[in-house]
Amino acid sequence: MSLVENNDTLTERYQNVMQRIHHTALKAGRDPARIQLLAVSKKHPLEKIAALQTLGQQAFGESHAQEGVGKILKWQEQHPETKLAWHFIGPLQSNKTRPVAEHFDWVQSVDSVKLLQRLDRQRPEQLPPLNICLQFQPVAEPGKRGVTWPALAHLAEVAAGLPRLRLRGVMSIPPRTRDPQEQRALFEQVRQAYENLRQHYPLDTLSMGMSGDLEAAVAAGSTLLRVGTALFGPRPA
Ligand SMILES: *Cc1c(COP(=O)(O)O)cnc(C)c1O
């Protein structure tokens, strides 16, 4: 396979996803410009990130600290003039926070006070505050990341008081269901939690919806879609 072929496919997929978002937004009576696309580039090489960047994509999501930081450093070395926004979206262990606090622009997967405190302490002074989304679970699922209400409200209160963090919103990966109405109802619950917090804090980010469920997420008010497979194709094992 030539690189040109690869990039043509990537271009097509990107345009498809952008169109899907556009149509879905209009159908839901929403302004497509208020819905951001996060390209989830985990397990995909930097070349594909570069190809998407030339198409206008600026925000990328990574799930592993080491892999993500490696890409960020390489990107900065190879493209010192072009700033991207890097979002950490994966499970974060509290002993792995430092490289994330030092290199990412956002952490969307925060679900404990301990993580908040460490990220705040480890965020370098010369960088802007680290953007934070709290990970919310509309239904408690054992073994899953994220907190339920009222733990979410408590985390928001802590986050809002930490100077090196900027609380931006809520992220969620609700349990998957085949029933679109059920899916929509779960996203609505996330939105409700987000709106509740928004009464107290100046939030602007409701991160929900992936390749397979972005329509339901947009209908329920998502402002940030995290899309991997629909953009890049299947992830290498
Ligand atoms: C991998 C991942 C995605 C992207 O999922 P796709 O189904 O490939 O679009 C979104 N959010 C999180 C938190 C992920 O880990």
Side-chain angles (χ1 to χ4, degrees), residues 12-39:
E12 250 167 57
R13 287 209 197 93
Y14 182 68
Q15 284 165 352
N16 278 342
V17 169
M18 294 306 274
Q19 248 167 32
R20 227 174 119 190
I21 296 172
H22 194 86
H23 283 300
T24 312
L26 294 185
K27 215 173 128 197
R30 299 188 52 201
D31 178 1
R34 305 305 276 283
I35 301 166
Q36 262 199 57
L37 173 63
L38 180 72

